[in-house]
């Protein structure tokens, strides 16, 4: 499994922004995450070097196939864990914060077991 929480957060943010914006730029990521643009630029350089994003000459950021896969995995975990915690009675804000931490450390096996459990409960 991919083990870089910061990179995963950036990839997830690019994915989320790409759903609502025509193009994603470093400034959009900085504003969303509350980071300074130079910090985001360094992170984008690292993601480019890992071939998880491409950046056009105009500064538009796109996920590569491997970046997309990681982003979608983290986003799915985030959404499922948040909704699950809320259904257990955790307030939405706390559920979001906890899910954001859990999505990076939970094993694939444990996540799949939780997902299966939730889907089984829905079909009953």
């Amino acid at each position: 499994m991919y083990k870089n929480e910061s990179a995963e957060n950036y990839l997830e943010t690019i994915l989320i922004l790409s759903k609502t914006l025509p193009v994603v730029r470093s400034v959009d990521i900085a504003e969303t995450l509350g980071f300074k643009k130079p910090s985001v630029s360094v992170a984008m350089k690292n993601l480019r070097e890992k071939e998880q994003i491409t950046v056009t000459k105009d500064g538009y950021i796109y996920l590569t196939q491997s970046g997309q896969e990681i982003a979608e995995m983290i986003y799915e975990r985030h959404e499922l864990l948040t909704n699950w915690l809320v259904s257990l009675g955790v307030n939405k804000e706390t559920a979001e914060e906890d899910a954001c931490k859990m999505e990076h450390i939970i094993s694939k096996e444990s996540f799949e077991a939780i997902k299966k459990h939730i889907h089984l409960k829905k079909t009953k």
Side-chain angles (χ1 to χ4, degrees), residues 7-9 13 17 23 39 43 46 58 68-69 78 97 100 111:
E8 289 174 346
N9 280 334
T13 300
L17 288 172
V23 293
S39 299
N46 292 335
D58 295 319
Q68 182 85 20
E69 289 169 4
H78 183 89
E97 290 173 11
C100 195
F111 179 74

Side-chain angles (χ1 to χ4, degrees), residues 40-115:
V40 173
S41 294
V42 169
M44 294 305 103
K45 179 180 180 275
N46 292 335
L47 293 174
R48 238 183 7 262
E49 288 173 355
K50 292 178 185 172
E51 298 182 353
Q52 294 168 337
I53 63 165
T54 58
V55 182
T56 68
K57 62 180 169 58
D58 295 319
Y60 303 153
I61 300 166
Y62 298 96
L63 295 168
T64 62
Q65 183 176 342
S66 67
Q68 182 85 20
E69 289 169 4
I70 294 164
E72 287 176 357
M73 175 196 68
I74 294 300
Y75 184 70
E76 176 191 25
R77 289 174 173 209
H78 183 89
E79 290 295 296
L80 187 129
L81 292 169
T82 298
N83 292 333
W84 180 53
L85 291 169
V86 168
S87 76
L88 295 174
V90 177
N91 78 59
K92 178 104 171 126
E93 185 176 316
T94 302
E96 286 271 350
E97 290 173 11
D98 289 346
C100 195
K101 295 170 193 161
M102 294 166 65
E103 69 196 26
H104 302 287
I105 60 170
I106 191 169
S107 70
K108 182 175 182 172
E109 179 183 0
S110 293
F111 179 74
E112 290 300 321
I114 292 170
K115 189 161 87 169

